[in-house]
């Protein structure tokens, strides 16, 4: 069945959608995720008593699921009369939920009617490019959203945030009468990867909250965990989003292909709001030899990363040869960060480990290490030399002995000098 458009321009064409939903029948086609993957975000930004407008509802089951968990006032609109007919019939027993055939760029609603406008994939469909005609259509769409939302109301938009779309959103909602937040939805991405060929694009939830006027611009991003990071400019926010998209580009490539034996890929994982990477991952593939197992992640304890086996490409290749895994991800815990237990580190690495799964691997990801903890690294002295720049002296544990090391920070995987400390002589 040829269900996807030949050119993405057709995404904004009503006849295209009528044909799409006729061919599809009553079988739901979900863009970017379903209630289960999205609910943790939606429940945060939508209250049960809110009046909700869902634009471009399509035949997604999202509104029915929201209704069934207690959202009482939902109005769905779509430009396709075919899908509105289908949805009215499927949802006849959900008596208080409305499905109306209406153009989201020119609605019949009054000003300040809704607490929430919810868009899943519709903005992306309406804005395939940024030519003049498209931008004029999006201006109309956004001015309708601004008009129908009450003060304190939220525009919640689930999108892939292609750069021209993010740019338009920021141009429209990045001022002192809107608070603008971008949250990455890992749950939707993981589901999309599981359902498809293992690759996925980052899915974002944008929340723009309408205010009268605020004393300052509020722009926030959350790309991992719960921590919101304040941005000072729209450009800074756009750069954050782009870095997540670029990383996905690399991991998608790694999900489909094996690296050549002589190559390895390095990825830094950085926590939002911090300047230095928390982890560095080295991805090594073994193509020609018989791999016993497909995939594992090896966690290098703190302080051991400068040893030949972990700190050089040849060493990591040997580690992989001896471990006999098709793909080995060597994870280094970077200096300057504190780490809890080995289990906490595994949890932090779980998402990245999933994103690097090679094609054909399924099941639990084995995490390997040298012992049962993350190792110990204590900074004894830090300084800057006019000759060699920043340096650090640190104590690390190597096979039950404490070693004191001098490291030049511009080459952190190399130990400049090292001495084994005598027991009891130093604190
Ligand atoms: C990518 S689909 C998303 C469908 C649904 N929200 C989902 O998550 O599965 C885009 C939807 O927007 C609808 N649409 C396109 N242009 C529209 C417009 N101007 N007004 C309202 N709906 C529109 C299409 O009919 C289609 O159902």
């Amino acid at each position: 069945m040829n269900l996807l458009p030949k050119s993405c321009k057709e995404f904004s064409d009503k006849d295209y959608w009528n044909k799409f939903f006729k061919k599809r029948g009553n079988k739901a086609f979900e863009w970017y995720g379903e209630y289960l993957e999205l609910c943790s975000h939606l429940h945060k930004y939508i209250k049960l008593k809110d009046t909700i407008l869902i634009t471009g509802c399509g035949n997604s089951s999202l509104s029915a699921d929201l209704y069934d968990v207690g959202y009482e006032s939902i109005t769905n609109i779509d430009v396709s009369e075919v899908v509105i007919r289908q949805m009215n019939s499927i949802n006849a027993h959900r008596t208080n939920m409305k499905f109306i055939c209406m153009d989201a760029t020119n609605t019949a609603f009054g000003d300040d009617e809704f607490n929430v406008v919810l868009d899943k994939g519709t903005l992306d469909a309406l804005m395939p490019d940024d030519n003049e005609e498209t931008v004029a259509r999006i201006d109309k769409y956004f001015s309708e959203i601004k008009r129908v939302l009450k003060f304190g109301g939220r525009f919640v938009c689930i999108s892939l945030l292609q750069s021209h779309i993010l740019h338009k959103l920021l141009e429209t909602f990045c001022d002192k009468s809107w608070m603008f937040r971008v949250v990455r939805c890992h749950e939707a991405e993981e589901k999309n990867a599981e359902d498809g060929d293992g690759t996925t694009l980052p899915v974002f939830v944008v929340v723009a909250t309408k205010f009268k006027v605020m004393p300052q611009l509020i722009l926030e991003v959350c790309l991992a965990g719960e921590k919101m990071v304040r941005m000072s400019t729209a450009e800074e926010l756009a750069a954050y989003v782009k870095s997540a998209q670029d990383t996905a580009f690399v991991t998608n490539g790694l999900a489909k292909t094996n690296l050549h034996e002589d190559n390895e890929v390095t990825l830094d994982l950085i926590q939002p709001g911090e300047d230095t990477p928390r982890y560095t991952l080295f991805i090594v593939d073994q193509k020609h030899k018989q791999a016993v197992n497909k995939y594992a992640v090896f966690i290098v304890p703190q302080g051991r990363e400068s040893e030949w086996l972990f700190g050089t490409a040849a060493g990591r290749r040997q580690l992989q040869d001896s471990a006999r895994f098709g793909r080995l991800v060597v994870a280094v815990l970077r200096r300057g960060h504190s780490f809890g237990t080995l289990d906490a580190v595994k949890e932090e690495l779980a998402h990245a480990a999933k994103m690097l799964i090679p094609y054909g691997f399924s099941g639990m990801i084995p995490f390997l290490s040298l012992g049962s903890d993350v190792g110990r690294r204590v900074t004894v002295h830090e300084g800057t030399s006019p000759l060699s720049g920043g340096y650090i002296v640190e104590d690390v544990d190597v096979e039950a002995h404490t070693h004191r090391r001098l490291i030049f920070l511009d080459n952190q995987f190399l130990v400049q000098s090292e001495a084994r400390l005598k027991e009891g002589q130093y604190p």
Side-chain angles (χ1 to χ4, degrees), residues 17 21 29 31 56-58 60 78-79 102-104 120-122 126:
W17 287 108
F21 289 117
F29 189 99
W31 298 78
C57 58
S60 160
D78 200 288
V79 79
M102 198 185 283
D103 184 345
K120 177 159 77 78
T122 303
L126 283 173

Side-chain angles (χ1 to χ4, degrees), residues 123-346:
L123 174 61
D124 289 5
L126 283 173
M127 195 172 186
D129 52 45
D130 55 357
N131 71 30
E132 219 175 293
E133 191 191 335
T134 310
V135 170
R137 180 169 56 235
I138 298 304
D139 283 337
K140 282 166 82 186
Y141 180 43
F142 284 168
S143 66
E144 282 296 81
I145 291 169
K146 288 180 162 188
R147 188 180 66 75
V148 302
L149 272 179
K150 296 179 200 288
F151 284 112
R154 281 133 277 138
F155 173 41
V156 180
C157 178
I158 296 142
S159 164
L160 299 182
L161 289 186
Q162 289 180 75
S163 64
H164 64 283
I165 291 180
L166 179 58
H167 179 260
K168 189 69 193 157
L169 278 163
L170 286 167
E171 186 188 282
T172 312
F173 295 104
C174 175
D175 68 34
K176 288 184 185 168
S177 51
W178 293 87
M179 183 181 121
F180 192 88
R181 194 173 255 193
V182 176
V183 182
R184 187 163 172 189
C185 185
H186 291 286
E187 301 89 334
E189 293 171 30
E190 283 169 18
K191 178 77 174 18
N192 295 343
E194 274 166 29
D195 291 350
D197 61 357
T199 66
T200 183
L201 294 169
V203 176
F204 300 96
V205 182
V206 172
V207 184
T209 309
K210 181 174 169 178
F211 287 102
K212 283 205 167 123
V213 176
M214 294 183 299
Q216 68 181 96
L217 197 63
I218 301 186
L219 291 169
E220 290 177 336
V221 181
C222 175
L223 294 185
E226 295 285 313
K227 195 172 157 200
M228 286 292 160
V229 183
R230 223 12 113 76
M231 303 276 121
S232 36
T233 62
E235 291 72 28
E236 198 186 346
L237 186 147
Y240 251 76
V241 169
K242 184 160 184 315
S243 76
Q245 292 166 327
D246 289 348
T247 307
F249 184 74
V250 173
T251 55
N252 281 342
L254 287 168
K256 283 194 194 141
T257 46
N258 271 329
L259 294 165
H260 187 273
E261 290 241 345
D262 298 331
N263 292 338
E264 64 174 14
V265 166
T266 308
L267 273 183
D268 281 338
L269 302 183
I270 197 158
Q271 267 190 326
E274 290 189 353
D275 298 328
T276 57
R278 183 166 172 79
Y279 296 97
T280 294
L281 307 182
F282 298 94
I283 300 116
V284 197
D285 278 353
Q286 187 182 58
K287 207 154 50 178
H288 304 299
K289 295 184 194 104
Q290 204 58 43
V292 172
N293 298 300
K294 277 207 158 79
Y295 182 48
V297 178
F298 189 97
I299 299 170
V300 181
Q302 295 182 93
R304 308 292 299 268
E305 67 284 335
S306 44
E307 291 173 22
W308 180 82
L309 196 60
F310 312 118
T312 66
R316 290 186 285 269
R317 167 82 42 218
Q318 181 170 311
L319 179 67
Q320 188 200 27
D321 276 349
S322 53
R324 300 183 73 193
F325 280 93
R327 170 168 294 170
L328 189 67
V329 172
V330 180
V332 168
L333 284 59
R334 295 296 301 267
R335 188 172 284 108
H337 295 265
S338 53
F339 298 91
T341 60
L342 193 57
D343 281 341
V345 166
K346 286 181 195 172

